[in-house]
Amino acid sequence: MRRKLVIGNWKMHGSLEANHALISGLAKALERLSEADKTQVVICPVSVHLAAAAQQLNGLPGQIGLGAQNVSHAASGAYTGEVAASMLAEAGVTLVLVGHSERRELFGEGDALVADKVAAVLDAGMTPVLCVGESLAQRQTGETESVVLRQLNAAVQRVGVEGIARSIVAYEPIWAIGTGETATPEQAQEVHEALRKRLAELDEDLAANTPILYGGSVKASNADALFAQPDIDGGLVGGASLDAEEFSAICASSARSGASA
Ligand code: PEP
């Protein structure tokens, strides 16, 4: 049975004080949900806030997990400004976003580097969330499937079926990230199905058990329809995760969905 989860990507927003308040607000909002509406929730604050967030989360009831937005491909060494996976784990992180389109587009991260980062996260005993997705131009020229499969295959080649079995995949069409434009449930399902089919070619159990999240302008108002799709197992949420009530409503949608087989 696949796990359902919702991840909040806070990007480079907030401040120590604002993010402390956001965690408190989110914990309260999630506490108010009925048992049937509870799902696994992970937040990804900016890296310098991780230790403070970990300390705060430890003192709270409920089960909000801690994730990071990026990681170095290297285990240690002369990499000024980078943070190693083992350091994130020490800070209390259990999950790391890898290959987010903003990293690929703004910081020039290619498939090989992203695959090395997936390996680094696994080596440190954490869960990589491999983000894949096409640009608007690629969608318009019919390249969506080949782009996301190329991105997935690069990670498969690097860490094998065993590594992907300890990973999460997130389909995030670049044209839907932070734009307010969401993929229709049918468009998202089509790509999720293609990704799962590729996993099934490698191993049936891998396909059955790997969570594939959707990300791209998920809101409380569209979450039910997206999460109702058979191959969508939850969400990777940017903007809407900065509002505790909105985000907890999205988490409740994920819990209620019949997504996981
Ligand atoms: C993201 O940053 O991963 C994301 C999906 O952002 P948004 O929800 O704001 O589109």
Side-chain angles (χ1 to χ4, degrees):
M1 175 142 151
R2 292 196 292 279
R3 59 183 171 137
K4 296 180 198 176
L5 78 163
V6 180
I7 302 171
N9 174 13
W10 289 4
K11 312 197 186 194
M12 201 173 70
H13 290 299
S15 64
L16 207 46
E17 196 182 335
N19 289 352
H20 190 278
L22 183 52
I23 289 176
S24 300
L26 178 60
K28 284 192 191 114
L30 292 173
E31 272 298 297
R32 283 197 298 273
L33 296 179
S34 67
E35 277 312 306
D37 281 354
K38 292 198 166 133
T39 195
Q40 194 183 347
V41 178
V42 178
I43 53 164
C44 303
V46 68
S47 64
V48 288
H49 292 176
L50 286 170
Q55 200 176 17
Q56 188 183 358
L57 291 173
N58 278 339
L60 289 172
Q63 292 296 319
I64 303 176
L66 188 62
Q69 301 172 17
N70 185 30
V71 65
S72 174
H73 67 290
S76 68
Y79 296 98
T80 302
E82 291 288 273
V83 180
S86 61
M87 298 165 183
L88 295 175
E90 275 178 342
V93 166
T94 58
L95 168 157
V96 184
L97 307 183
V98 177
H100 189 282
S101 63
E102 286 154 17
R103 300 294 321 167
R104 291 182 191 262
E105 294 224 309
L106 303 175
F107 300 96
E109 295 189 9
D111 288 341
L113 178 64
V114 170
D116 282 347
K117 290 185 176 205
V118 170
V121 173
L122 290 169
D123 285 347
M126 298 181 291
T127 304
V129 179
L130 172 68
C131 302
V132 300
E134 83 287 6
S135 66
L136 185 58
Q138 288 165 331
R139 173 161 283 267
Q140 285 167 341
T141 50
E143 292 169 85
T144 298
E145 196 171 311
S146 64
V147 169
V148 299
L149 293 183
R150 188 202 73 221
Q151 293 169 334
L152 175 63
N153 287 336
V156 171
Q157 222 175 3
R158 179 71 178 79
V159 299
V161 168
E162 191 275 327
I164 300 297
R166 294 193 284 130
S167 306
I168 291 169
V169 177
Y171 168 54
E172 296 209 305
I174 298 171
W175 48 273
I177 295 180
T179 59
E181 194 175 336
T182 317
T184 64
E186 294 73 26
Q187 283 173 322
Q189 168 58 24
E190 195 180 10
V191 181
H192 282 238
E193 197 178 335
L195 289 165
R196 205 174 298 288
K197 204 170 133 220
R198 171 65 188 133
L199 296 177
E201 283 165 12
L202 296 164
D203 184 279
E204 287 290 345
D205 284 346
L206 186 69
N209 296 327
T210 304
I212 307 180
L213 311 183
Y214 169 78
S217 298
V218 176
K219 307 183 245 321
S221 58
N222 59 28
D224 274 351
L226 285 162
F227 298 163
Q229 298 301 309
D231 288 301
I232 300 183
D233 304 311
L236 174 51
V237 184
S241 69
L242 299 171
D243 179 317
E245 296 298 330
E246 177 89 6
F247 188 57
S248 81
I250 293 169
C251 296
S253 281
S254 162
R256 282 195 305 269
S257 71
S260 294

